[in-house]
Amino acid sequence: MHQYSVGIDLGTTNCVVAYSALNVDRPHVQLLRIEQVTAPNETEAQPSLASFLYIPTTPEHEAGLFQIPSLPAYPTVNGSYARTISAEQPERTIAAAKSWLCHGGVDRHAPILPWQSPEEIPKFSPTNASKLLLRQLVDAWDQEFPEAPLHGQLVTLTVPASFDMSARELTREAALSAGLPDDFILLEEPQAAVYHWMDKAGDSWRQAVGEGDSLLVCDIGGGTTDLTMVRVEQEHGELILRRVAVGNHLLVGGDNMDLALAHFVATKFAEKGTRLNAWQSVALWHSCRRAKESLLSIDGPAVETISVLGRGSKLIGGTVSVEIQREEVQQLLIDGFFPMCEADARPEQLPHSGLHELGLPFEADSAITRHVASFLSDHYLAHQSNDEPRPLHLLLNGGVFKSDALQMRLGNAITHILAAQPKTLGDTQDLDYSVARGAAYYGWAKQRGGVRIRGGAPRSYYVGIETAGLAIPGMPRPLQAVCVVPLGMEEGTEAEVPGREVGLVIGKAAKFRFFAAADRPEDTVGQVLREWDENELIETSPLELELNADEATKNEQGFVPVKFLSRVSELGVLELWCKSTRDHQQWKLEFSIRGEESAPGDDTADPGAASSHPSASGGPAR
């Protein structure tokens, strides 16, 4: 029996744990203080764990300088000290592991972090780095509540709404290996922000919005910008909330602002005749993050000094410093990331070079307001009646909005786009903890029957079916797309896919193709698309594997006639069951990390591919 609802925010910049007892009529959400290293031989319990991992040198490790007495030993130093030392030891610090977790261009099981650090420094995979952060949260909880260990609680872990199936599955893998319970829940971060607002507002949230209103959640954190549209509806005389759209995964946020500020400061160093090497530039990035947080805070200083340590006699003989002004930093970030734009603005598709340095795939256009304009045009303005437009409410979330100046500029930009001023809901006094608090509230509402946001799958999903017909040299057979998960299909539900039988290739390697659409709400389960615009249906990572079956099952062409059953798990993972129409054999295809038949470290494996279950070769489940 669960005693607590626990919400965990595995953030790009900070991790937070919030909780509430379940045996209460009204949740009382509190924060767990997390013991962490703050300096050599010093520890302190803080309300958040910085999402930084420092890899100590062998002498440091052997001396036990970073051991937390009440917790197990870790291979990395996580939290406050790691963030502090990142400016001095960037090559030994892992930052933004969560952003790497959703980067399909690298093997996320491979030890690649810290990215491009010297060969002699131990490295960790994005999945393992995330596991280490979560492991410390689990240990901190178990230390505080030994009579109610975390594996026995109702745990909700948050992810960006724009995380694809692969990133969600990676998060699930890291969480389970860290010790979270098997039945933990994944909740989208913008929804968690809405739940936090509902918790703070109490029953008065129903007076703040009305039937037909829309709520734009704009969540800008350290690594991502997450946009979600929630609509207020009425059901059986009660107001309900329904998530109707989520934006694309936008790798633009506080990290990009830090990089922009670092570039600005680097020019100041250049004016003083200082040339920075690669690792000094990384150190500068970390220093600028701290300066940005200080200068943009409500009571921040007027001036910040940024220093860079020497890295060799040919570059800097010692420490060199420059000063930056609060006004110039605000202007740089406001104009660069929140420019005013029109309703028809779209993110700029900047020209790309044929060769790119590997790294995080930051957005080509860092103007967040243009991404917001595009999202509003597709999911709000396009559905408004000219006679009676419904109000739009704005809910801000993410550490970026701790700056009053950035809050004000985004509000002004949206007012310009809509030609109407949105009403901002809630306050921005709890931005660092609102996602975890909202996740804890959600668990309580799920258990006790409180109001929950409807929504389900944020996109429609389709499987590609190759049509029969005569072979034509040089031309592939036409492909049809069958809808297996409609937009809004609820987590934890399943649906039989109507339609004719299809042939499942057995006994030889085959490619299974999947597609997704963000704006086709009219499509239903089983609907067949024979043609579509290439911008309308986006192909996801294909699955290539060989399925096994009883020899008697196959026909002479090597096919098994099957029908589909689709399911969206409680973790938001799409499962497509292929059920034989001849016997009880069935095969499950699900979006995962890569084919399970690939060996660890195999760079040929598609990091975003699906896998079949339950066997590594894709054999039948009976």
Side-chain angles (χ1 to χ4, degrees):
M1 185 69 177
H2 302 312
Q3 295 175 252
Y4 296 96
S5 169
V6 183
I8 300 178
D9 175 13
L10 177 64
T12 307
T13 306
N14 291 288
C15 300
V16 181
V17 179
Y19 63 96
S20 173
L22 285 168
N23 62 346
V24 292
D25 294 331
R26 170 81 184 159
H28 176 55
V29 179
Q30 304 176 67
L31 296 177
L32 175 72
R33 297 189 68 84
I34 304 160
E35 194 75 24
Q36 57 201 281
V37 175
T38 55
N41 290 320
E42 292 183 14
T43 66
E44 181 184 337
Q46 299 181 352
S48 64
L49 178 75
S51 304
F52 291 77
L53 303 91
Y54 170 66
I55 303 166
T57 63
T58 301
E60 289 175 325
H61 185 77
E62 291 177 348
L65 299 177
F66 305 118
Q67 177 62 44
I68 304 173
S70 59
L71 299 180
Y74 307 109
T76 57
V77 183
N78 311 325
S80 177
Y81 179 75
R83 178 174 55 192
T84 301
I85 200 66
S86 61
E88 298 177 21
Q89 298 284 345
E91 69 275 16
R92 286 188 166 272
T93 307
I94 298 173
K98 179 179 176 180
S99 295
W100 287 97
L101 201 64
C102 61
H103 182 6
V106 299
D107 183 351
R108 290 160 285 182
H109 281 112
I112 59 174
L113 302 177
W115 182 250
Q116 294 185 334
S117 63
E119 187 174 333
E120 65 272 12
I121 293 178
K123 295 179 177 61
F124 297 82
S125 70
T127 308
N128 199 13
S130 300
K131 168 193 168 183
L132 289 171
L133 292 171
L134 287 168
R135 180 72 248 182
Q136 189 159 338
L137 301 182
V138 172
D139 290 338
W141 173 274
D142 290 351
Q143 174 69 22
E144 183 70 20
F145 297 97
E147 79 291 348
L150 194 66
H151 66 76
Q153 307 313 310
L154 178 58
V155 178
T156 302
L157 177 65
T158 62
V159 293
S162 51
F163 254 25
D164 62 15
M165 294 294 183
S166 294
R168 289 173 188 242
E169 178 66 14
L170 274 165
T171 305
R172 173 182 177 273
E173 177 186 329
L176 292 177
S177 62
L180 267 67
D182 292 343
D183 61 351
F184 85 92
I185 303 163
L186 286 181
L187 177 67
E188 295 169 3
E189 290 165 5
Q191 289 195 45
V194 176
Y195 282 117
H196 175 61
W197 166 67
M198 294 171 65
D199 181 29
K200 297 280 283 186
D203 292 337
S204 66
W205 75 265
R206 293 177 174 84
Q207 284 74 54
V209 296
E211 182 183 2
D213 292 0
S214 295
L215 170 57
L216 171 65
V217 186
C218 188
D219 184 355
I220 307 179
T224 59
T225 290
D226 230 355
L227 303 174
T228 291
M229 188 69 71
V230 176
R231 187 168 58 234
V232 184
E233 299 179 352
Q234 188 176 114
E235 186 175 278
H236 307 302
E238 290 285 337
L239 290 182
I240 64 169
L241 300 175
R242 186 177 301 278
R243 192 273 318 280
V244 294
V246 298
N248 295 324
H249 188 70
L250 303 176
L251 209 59
V252 56
D255 290 347
N256 302 71
M257 297 180 186
D258 302 337
L259 287 171
L261 184 56
H263 178 75
F264 172 73
V265 175
T267 61
K268 288 181 172 287
F269 278 115
E271 292 169 359
K272 300 180 68 170
T274 299
R275 178 171 59 90
L276 306 180
N277 67 15
W279 282 110
Q280 285 172 318
S281 297
V282 177
L284 178 62
W285 175 33
H286 289 294
S287 296
C288 286
R289 180 191 67 252
R290 295 206 301 261
K292 177 203 71 178
E293 293 172 353
S294 173
L295 291 170
L296 293 184
S297 62
I298 296 175
D299 54 352
V303 179
E304 272 284 345
T305 300
I306 295 183
S307 301
V308 176
L309 298 178
R311 294 264 172 171
S313 58
K314 293 184 179 180
L315 292 168
I316 304 176
T319 300
V320 175
S321 302
V322 297
E323 290 186 345
I324 52 175
Q325 307 290 325
R326 178 185 180 96
E327 291 78 8
E328 61 184 356
V329 170
Q330 286 193 348
Q331 199 63 32
L332 171 72
L333 300 183
I334 289 173
D335 291 343
F337 291 88
F338 296 91
M340 300 296 289
C341 62
E342 303 300 323
D344 59 355
R346 294 294 181 271
E348 296 179 0
Q349 301 299 317
L350 303 178
H352 291 291
S353 168
L355 296 174
H356 291 265
E357 181 182 18
L358 291 176
L360 288 174
F362 292 116
E363 290 300 314
D365 188 351
S366 60
I368 292 173
T369 43
R370 283 197 283 270
H371 292 283
V372 171
S374 178
F375 183 78
L376 286 172
S377 178
D378 293 341
H379 302 295
Y380 177 72
L381 293 174
H383 303 286
Q384 290 299 298
S385 166
N386 292 329
D387 298 331
E388 191 178 356
R390 297 300 304 172
L392 177 77
H393 305 273
L394 179 63
L395 183 61
L396 301 178
N397 193 59
V400 164
F401 291 119
K402 286 192 285 187
S403 165
D404 290 340
L406 297 183
Q407 288 181 41
M408 185 177 300
R409 170 54 72 90
L410 180 62
N412 291 339
I414 293 177
T415 298
H416 185 74
I417 292 168
L418 302 179
Q421 184 173 4
K423 178 184 177 182
T424 301
L425 298 176
D427 56 46
T428 53
Q429 304 304 311
D430 200 25
L431 292 171
D432 289 329
Y433 314 115
S434 57
V435 167
R437 288 183 181 274
Y441 175 84
Y442 164 82
W444 180 90
K446 179 180 175 66
Q447 184 88 352
R448 299 299 301 268
V451 175
R452 294 168 57 193
I453 302 170
R454 314 285 180 84
R459 293 172 176 81
S460 304
Y461 291 96
Y462 309 77
V463 63
I465 307 294
E466 186 177 291
T467 58
L470 297 174
I472 302 175
M475 291 187 63
R477 286 192 175 95
L479 195 71
Q480 297 177 350
V482 177
C483 180
V484 292
V485 172
L487 182 72
M489 183 172 173
E490 296 286 348
E491 286 85 356
T493 63
E494 60 184 37
E496 292 188 359
V497 181
R500 64 184 188 279
E501 296 177 345
V502 298
L504 178 68
V505 177
I506 294 295
K508 61 181 179 180
K511 178 184 288 188
F512 299 86
R513 299 174 65 182
F514 295 90
F515 301 83
D519 197 23
R520 289 188 63 92
E522 70 280 1
D523 290 350
T524 57
V525 175
Q527 185 161 340
V528 179
L529 305 183
R530 292 177 170 81
E531 57 183 33
W532 57 87
D533 187 280
E534 62 178 7
N535 296 320
E536 193 173 23
L537 258 62
I538 306 299
E539 185 166 6
T540 65
S541 300
L543 157 64
E544 295 187 46
L545 78 167
E546 180 177 324
L547 299 176
N548 296 328
D550 293 343
E551 203 56 42
T553 303
K554 293 185 288 187
N555 63 18
E556 60 272 13
Q557 285 82 34
F559 297 118
V560 173
V562 299
K563 301 198 79 170
F564 296 132
L565 181 144
S566 60
R567 181 175 184 272
V568 179
S569 75
E570 287 282 2
L571 294 177
V573 175
L574 166 60
E575 300 173 355
L576 183 63
W577 288 87
C578 306
K579 293 176 170 284
S580 171
T581 57
R582 294 182 177 179
D583 53 32
H584 296 296
Q585 291 189 98
Q586 55 187 359
W587 297 260
K588 182 174 71 170
L589 308 176
E590 71 176 25
F591 285 90
S592 186
I593 311 312
R594 54 185 176 182
E596 290 184 359
E597 68 276 15
S598 304
D602 181 0
D603 291 335
T604 63
D606 185 342
S611 63
S612 70
H613 286 261
S615 69
S617 61
R622 297 182 182 278

